[in-house]
Amino acid sequence: MRFDHDFPTVMVLTRRGLCSLAALAFAGSGGCLDVLNGEPARFVAPPAPVADETLGETGYELGTTDERVETRTFEVAGQSREVEVVNRVIEYHRPIDMGPLGEARGAVFATLCTPAVSVLGRTFNPVEDMTNREIAAEAQSQYEELSIGPEIDRRPVRILGEELALSTFEGEATFMGVGIDVFVHTALAEGEEEFVVVFGIYPRVLPGEEEAIVALAEGVRIDE
């Protein structure tokens, strides 16, 4: 299927924002990882895709998959130590009619899976303590043509077997120089050995799209 345009603000924002969160998750763990000893440590997050059945029901399709590897060298007792964390970002989209602007991949849903770094029986990952508002703010910081406003709703969803809150924010994005009102959704779930951030964004004029985002969020699974 060919599209007249992509929705650059949405597509680029989603990748930049979640990849930024991935980097943040690792960078903030630096003070805790320096107690490790032995061989170089590597923490790998599994992919967190949406079930195929849910994609079929919502009309979303796979867009991109990114593996973000963050490496950092630590100084421990005069010796250097390299630690590597592998994060996974998966992006889905649904084509929408943008009127005179043509058809575009304008409704986007994405997941970030980042590992729970365990040291001496404790888990360290700054994403664990982030609020939905902070997740939205981090995404906004990566793209100047997106403005995210107040949280207007919060509804319960079940992700990875955990009941938690999916937040809705009003926002405005720019598409081909035109300002478009959007809704942004964020939530954070905790798996057995990982954390999963879900992020959705789409134009406000789309009726019923929130239900699609809820279905996608509840259709997320850990791909072992």
Side-chain angles (χ1 to χ4, degrees), residues 22-33:
L24 175 67
F26 178 49
S29 301
C32 305
L33 293 172

Side-chain angles (χ1 to χ4, degrees), residues 125-157:
N125 191 312
V127 171
E128 175 184 15
D129 297 321
M130 293 186 74
T131 65
N132 290 348
R133 172 79 248 185
E134 289 170 334
I135 292 171
E138 181 63 27
Q140 176 181 271
S141 71
Q142 300 305 307
Y143 207 84
E144 63 182 11
E145 294 184 344
L146 175 77
S147 174
I148 298 178
E151 181 181 43
I152 61 170
D153 191 29
R154 179 173 284 236
R155 61 182 292 178
V157 294

